[in-house]
Amino acid sequence: MSLSPSKELRRIFVPGAGLVMPGAGNALTARVIEATGHKVMLVSGAAIANNYLGQPDIGLTSLNELVNHVANMRNVVNIPLIVDCDTGFGNAISVRQTVRAVERAGGNAVLIEDQSFPKRCGHFNNHEIISKDEMVQKVKAAVDARIDGDLMIGARTDARGIDGLEAAFDRACAYKEAGADFLFIEAPQSADELAAITREVPGLHLCNMVIGGKTPLLHRDQLGAMGYGIVAYANAALQAALLGMQYVLQHLNDKGSIEGAEEKIMMFKERQALLNGDFYADLATRYGGRPQQ
């Protein structure tokens, strides 16, 4: 019998695994992530804000919008989903509501951060964070809220850019003691800092490789050797798609056709295959409906 996604996440997310985890902001991206062989994905708050709202990652997405995206992704992929829940959408009681909603939608881990609301992308400047004690209560509320004991609770701190690395270590230790299953110290600024995190705060860690951000982009083997369990590329798919769309649409406007840009475009047949078109065609045949393709 195969493991549930939550049990599978606990099996593969271990110190030193260096498991690459792309992020998705919609179900289409989730399909591509699974189809390209990845074993876990992040439901990225930034990608949802960018994709769904066309806005920057500044705390504009609601809990209901996040939950709808989680449910849509769970409907089309089988791999575990780590869900970026930003600040938990409020206080400790709100965090309880958030965890319950995300778990019902099919998430396998929730990640809560200690920024004040409205949050900002961890690689922006001018963050504000709540007190360590308030975040500890949020972590405890998240732990108590889960129904499935295999659902993982992650705690992120953005203290590095405000109070320094030692303060981030102190917070991470407190969050671990409060019951967090894994930790995420956002935006370290050198390879030495990345190595110090796992050395000074023993436990299960996630790191985030933001392309163009403050953290150096290291290979997964290097990060695994440092002790990281997961290496997130939260918005690599989004950034690649944006560049591809911009290129093709500019070419179309300038040239009047897509001739010369075909290598940047997935063809119709391949697109339908990615969307599992044959499965729905078989369903139509089974139930006597109109052919879908």
Side-chain angles (χ1 to χ4, degrees):
M1 179 181 296
S2 61
L3 297 176
S4 70
S6 293
K7 288 185 182 295
E8 176 65 8
L9 180 60
R10 285 187 176 270
R11 186 186 73 82
I12 62 177
F13 187 3
V14 295
L19 191 65
V20 170
M21 177 177 69
N26 53 44
L28 176 61
T29 306
R31 276 192 180 275
V32 177
I33 290 170
E34 186 175 62
T36 50
H38 294 280
K39 304 304 181 186
V40 60
M41 75 177 68
L42 176 72
V43 180
S44 166
I48 291 174
N50 294 175
N51 272 304
Y52 180 65
L53 300 178
Q55 304 281 3
D57 182 22
I58 53 174
L60 299 177
T61 307
S62 71
L63 173 59
N64 284 341
E65 288 166 339
L66 172 64
V67 167
N68 285 339
H69 281 285
V70 173
N72 287 335
M73 293 184 203
R74 174 49 67 217
N75 190 47
V76 298
V77 301
N78 296 312
I79 62 176
L81 304 176
I82 294 181
V83 183
D84 175 8
C85 295
D86 291 344
T87 64
F89 300 95
N91 61 15
I93 297 172
S94 303
V95 166
R96 176 183 173 84
Q97 177 86 348
T98 295
V99 171
R100 290 286 177 90
V102 168
E103 184 174 359
R104 285 195 302 270
N108 309 110
V110 297
L111 181 60
I112 307 292
E113 66 197 55
D114 60 7
Q115 282 195 45
S116 60
F117 183 84
K119 62 77 53 83
R120 298 166 60 84
C121 169
H123 290 254
F124 290 172
N125 295 317
N126 303 317
H127 299 102
E128 294 180 357
I129 53 178
I130 60 177
S131 71
K132 178 175 69 175
D133 290 343
E134 183 178 354
M135 181 61 178
V136 163
Q137 296 309 314
K138 285 189 172 187
V139 173
K140 289 180 177 179
V143 171
D144 291 344
R146 61 186 168 192
I147 303 300
D148 181 356
D150 286 318
L151 181 84
M152 298 185 75
I153 306 299
R156 163 180 153 179
T157 180
D158 286 73
R160 163 63 186 89
I162 300 169
D163 298 323
L165 200 57
E166 291 296 329
F169 292 163
D170 179 62
R171 282 176 173 255
C173 288
Y175 304 161
K176 179 182 176 183
E177 186 176 350
D181 295 297
F182 65 95
L183 303 168
F184 173 22
I185 295 179
E186 175 65 299
Q189 297 183 17
S190 68
D192 287 344
E193 288 192 6
L194 280 163
I197 288 169
T198 52
R199 183 178 65 246
E200 299 299 324
V201 187
L204 187 56
H205 286 267
L206 176 156
C207 64
N208 190 19
M209 300 286 100
V210 176
I211 302 163
K214 296 180 178 181
T215 303
L217 302 180
L218 303 185
H219 193 275
R220 64 183 176 188
D221 291 347
Q222 292 175 274
L223 293 163
M226 291 177 183
Y228 286 97
I230 282 182
V231 179
Y233 280 82
N235 295 301
L238 169 67
Q239 289 173 261
L242 280 171
L243 187 61
M245 283 191 289
Q246 185 179 59
Y247 177 89
V248 170
L249 294 175
Q250 189 66 61
H251 181 96
L252 183 59
N253 184 62
D254 294 344
K255 306 296 185 181
S257 81
I258 60 98
E259 184 178 0
E262 293 91 345
E263 75 282 357
K264 300 290 186 180
I265 301 172
M266 180 176 283
M267 293 294 105
F268 181 84
K269 181 179 179 180
E270 287 73 22
R271 177 163 63 102
Q272 300 315 308
L274 180 64
L275 295 170
N276 209 12
D278 287 345
F279 170 77
Y280 292 100
D282 290 343
L283 287 182
T285 300
R286 181 186 307 174
Y287 301 126
R290 184 173 63 182
Q292 299 298 300
Q293 297 187 62

